[in-house]
Structures are given as structure tokens and as C-alpha cells.
Amino acid sequence: MAQCPPSLVPFADTAIRLALPSLGIDDPKGYGGSKQAQEGLSASNMALITYLSDRMRIAKSQNDGVVCAMIGAWLTELHLHEREKGGSAGSTINESSVKLLN
């Protein structure tokens, strides 16, 4: 999804759709009405973290420091939130995210 052109998968819309369930906002359009997808997106931010990591990789390859800094800050907050919740990202920070920040 992160590598699709903005005309097919706009960044803001995709990021919001991935974030809403974990914020407790029910948007069936965001997860296709699937109960399993809703539960997965509600339980963890890993889908959003993965999406943002891919977007960061693209920005880094284009030498876009502003986008890298903004997405990096968001990823940091998401990883800290996962750690507080004790989620799957809480025990170890995604190594690819760390490499992209360097």
C-alpha cells in the first residue's frame, strides 16, 4: 500500500483508516467490514507502524528529510504507545524503523 501512487492510496486517508480502530472509532469502510480485521487493528498499531515504515523508506530514498522527520516522530510515538500497552511492538522496536532513522 505504501508504494501505491497517491491517486490510488492517498497517504492521509490510509493512515487515518489504519489508526481509527486503535482509537476506538468504528469505521467499517476502513477495514472492509471484517470482524477479524477490526479486532487486529483495534488491538495493535502494527499495521500503521508497518505502513509508516514503508513510507519512510520511500522518503529516505528520495532524500526528503522533512517527511522522514515527521514520520519518524509519529513512529516513535506509536512504538512508545505499543510499549505502554505491552503490544507486540513493545518488546522490541522494529529494526527497519531504527535503520531508517540513522
Side-chain angles (χ1 to χ4, degrees):
M1 285 176 42
Q3 296 177 1
C4 289
S7 58
L8 295 177
V9 183
F11 174 76
D13 293 347
T14 304
I16 288 171
R17 281 198 321 258
L18 292 172
L20 286 178
S22 66
L23 298 172
I25 300 170
D26 187 27
D27 179 24
K29 188 174 94 175
Y31 52 85
S34 166
K35 188 70 173 162
Q36 290 176 327
Q38 179 191 21
E39 290 171 1
L41 289 172
S42 298
S44 174
N45 285 315
M46 284 310 297
L48 182 56
I49 289 170
T50 302
Y51 176 70
L52 291 174
S53 295
D54 287 346
R55 290 298 296 217
M56 187 174 200
R57 187 174 298 112
I58 293 167
K60 178 121 177 156
S61 71
Q62 297 172 346
N63 292 323
D64 191 341
V66 174
V67 171
C68 285
M70 291 171 44
I71 293 176
W74 195 358
L75 281 169
T76 301
E77 290 294 324
L78 288 169
H79 281 296
L80 290 173
H81 185 258
E82 286 292 311
R83 180 174 290 181
E84 286 175 3
K85 284 188 348 183
S88 57
S91 58
T92 59
I93 294 179
N94 187 344
E95 290 180 17
S96 64
S97 297
V98 173
K99 287 178 186 176
L100 289 172
L101 291 172
N102 292 329

